[in-house]
Amino acid sequence: MANWTLIGLLALCHTCLVAGYTKFPAGFTFGIATAAHQIEGAWNVSGKSENVWDRLSHTRPELIADGTNGDIACDSYHRYQEDVDELAYIGVDFYRFSLSWARILPTGRVDHVNPDGIRYYNDLLNALAEKNIEPLVTLFHWDLPQTLQDLGGWANPKMIDYFRDYSDLCFREFGDKIKSWITFNEPYEICEDAYGDIKKAPAIDSHGVGNYLCSDNLLKAHAEAYHLYNETYRPVQNGRIMISINSIWYEPADPNNAELVALAEVANQFKFGWFAHPIFTAEGGYPTAMVENVALQSAAEGLPKSRLEQFDDYWIQRIKGTSDFLGINHYTTFLITGAGVDPTAKDPSWLKDIGAVQTMEVGGDSASEWLRVVPTGFANLLRWCKSSYNDPPIYITENGFSDLPGTLEDYGRISYFNEYLSEILNVIYDDGVKVLGYTAWTLMDNFEWRAGFSERFGFYYVDITDPARPRTPKLSVEYFKQLIANRELPQDEIFKDPAKIRDEL
Ligand code: GBH
């Protein structure tokens, strides 16, 4: 049973990156993730139509930190073989990427299938197969065809049909090569950031209203795609299908303050539970705290009905249990500091509905304001998922760290990976949390949504001023390669920041 080792005292071990467990259990798998709009480019060639990110970055460039867009990005549409060679060099078990709906279905509907879109993904899948890299494929990573947004996008219940039809086509066309599917990447970001705010395209900003219309439709669309796969494709294709939920984990600023502990639980129900509770609990439906809070707020606003209504019994049953694994994207932790309305909350809004004040003033820095380094928050989230969702099998489908363009000796990224991976080992061995695999974000520096190219998450540096989009490995490439080769946290001194070693001596 003991296929792990416990390293002794860190104080005596300047070469060690962490103390504690270092060995991953047998069968644990490692991969790297990207998303179509962030890497492909080729935004208007070979039949691809405009998506909501094309539209936002072209018409409102002031909303993108550096005024850039994804027109060319990493040019992976033309350079996918380079991507695959890099993945093979690192030695990953799987590659998580997403399909561009607008490249496959320019009208958004299945009336016109773009042969070039089908060819592109078949080429990529064949290149991966040649290197024995398993595909883990996301159907929707935020790049909705603009044609469907013009009809209301995820606020329109008709999206349930459109998403099921698109999924059906993808299962049929690619399902012989793809054994692992993700329906949605980060439903919270899709609904709250894009329909309840302007943080993501299409930037509808219908705060407190559009965000909840979106979640109703998105959860139903997810369930329909799951049932379609489960009933029609799984019997012949033998794959698995899940959803990837992002969480900013909320901790009480003072763990001994019972009110803050209770508020942090409400905040986690609003954030993670909004999408996890309907799918992963025995009772199903939206979390009680959410239904109650939004109903109270809505009544106070003089509305005849709540802005968030519970699903009816048919949909509660239909959505429940529709994910083979719990996919978790995790980056950071925020603190809950008090009761009341957060000063940044719009009226009405999801944030106001929570009824708690939050702060990001915690942990170490990255290049992204929102990304604080709090590894213990990750462990707490994972333990909470085990107890809240009946001990589900979990895949970490994203985790990563940003720094500034050109940081090739990326010690910040390496130490982030090392500390977060170390927490995964802790919860596996000490708490029995069933974490089965880990996906690092991301293969190469890419179009970081509203941050443009100003914040970099990649293993490879990409020079976006060079038309050839050359990729230069950062030190983290060697770190991740060694991790995968040995299935053990690397202990090599070269991965430790020389400045930190000096400090410790
Ligand atoms: C993931 O989202 C995405 O799946 C991926 O595409 C992305 O590149 C990666 O993370 C790195 O960001 O308050 O306006 O400053 C992570 C979740 C949630 C990240 C909200 C940024 C804050 C934006 N995200 N967010 S803002």
Side-chain angles (χ1 to χ4, degrees), residues 38 141 185-186 189 199 246 331 370 398 441 448-449:
Q38 295 181 269
H141 199 125
N185 180 68
E186 301 187 350
E189 277 64 24
K199 291 179 177 176
N246 179 49
Y331 290 85
W370 57 271
E398 278 180 34
W441 182 267
E448 177 51 28
W449 310 112

Side-chain angles (χ1 to χ4, degrees), residues 34-35 38 96 141-142 185-186 188-189 193 197-200 246-248 271 329-332 334 360 368-371 397-402 441-442 446-451 455 457:
T34 62
Q38 295 181 269
R96 179 180 169 217
H141 199 125
W142 306 355
N185 180 68
E186 301 187 350
Y188 170 90
E189 277 64 24
D193 286 356
D197 207 325
I198 59 165
K199 291 179 177 176
K200 301 272 151 60
N246 179 49
S247 186
I248 284 169
K271 179 91 194 184
N329 290 2
H330 180 74
Y331 290 85
T332 199
F334 291 171
M360 317 196 269
S368 311
E369 201 198 356
W370 57 271
L371 204 174
T397 42
E398 278 180 34
N399 177 237
F401 176 86
S402 63
W441 182 267
T442 181
N446 57 43
F447 180 67
E448 177 51 28
W449 310 112
R450 283 199 48 196
E455 300 167 9
F457 281 83

Side-chain angles (χ1 to χ4, degrees), residues 455-472:
E455 300 167 9
R456 304 293 182 101
F457 281 83
F459 282 107
Y460 286 80
Y461 164 71
V462 178
D463 179 357
I464 60 150
T465 64
D466 186 330
R469 294 299 191 271
R471 294 118 153 84
T472 308

Side-chain angles (χ1 to χ4, degrees), residues 6 25 58 76 109 135 146 281 283 435 447:
L6 191 59
H58 293 155
S76 287
R109 303 178 309 267
Q146 183 62 39
T281 61
E283 65 271 26
V435 186
F447 180 67

Side-chain angles (χ1 to χ4, degrees), residues 386-421:
K386 178 185 164 85
S387 61
S388 303
Y389 304 117
N390 192 27
D391 198 10
I394 294 171
Y395 275 90
I396 305 306
T397 42
E398 278 180 34
N399 177 237
F401 176 86
S402 63
D403 49 22
L404 294 172
T407 312
L408 294 180
E409 294 189 332
D410 52 344
Y411 297 111
R413 175 165 299 101
I414 290 170
S415 105
Y416 179 97
F417 281 141
N418 214 61
E419 289 176 30
Y420 276 65
L421 283 161

